[in-house]
Amino acid sequence: TVSSLRLDAVMDLAFRISRGRAAELIRSGRVQVDHLLELRPDRKLGEGVMISVRGMGRAQLAQINGQTKKDRTSIMLLRYGV
């Protein structure tokens, strides 16, 4: 589960890094969303989006399952690469 569907929050779960570290990677130009450079950590993601981080691999937001009782978003990730 993630707190929101922001890029930095999903990267936190997918690559096991902090949201702060994810934001640094995004701003430094090492992150692509659907094969396009993304520089905003607050970008909202939708189902089927591919996230690529140079040197860390790829992850796809395969499914958004809805809200939990604690108001978090349940998602399913597919992880590729490193």
Side-chain angles (χ1 to χ4, degrees), residues 9-53:
V10 174
M11 283 179 61
D12 176 8
L13 179 65
F15 299 103
R16 304 205 184 232
I17 57 176
S18 69
R19 285 179 73 165
R21 176 74 175 128
E24 287 176 21
L25 291 171
I26 295 164
R27 288 189 192 103
S28 69
R30 293 182 58 190
V31 177
Q32 294 182 349
V33 176
D34 285 338
H35 309 290
L36 299 173
L37 181 65
E38 183 57 58
L39 298 173
R40 295 177 308 136
D42 63 340
R43 173 169 175 191
K44 300 288 184 191
L45 300 178
E47 203 166 79
V49 170
M50 179 70 73
I51 304 165
S52 303
V53 181

Side-chain angles (χ1 to χ4, degrees), residues 45-65:
L45 300 178
E47 203 166 79
V49 170
M50 179 70 73
I51 304 165
S52 303
V53 181
R54 194 173 314 130
M56 298 182 83
R58 294 182 180 176
Q60 182 179 21
L61 179 54
Q63 192 173 24
I64 300 172
N65 299 321

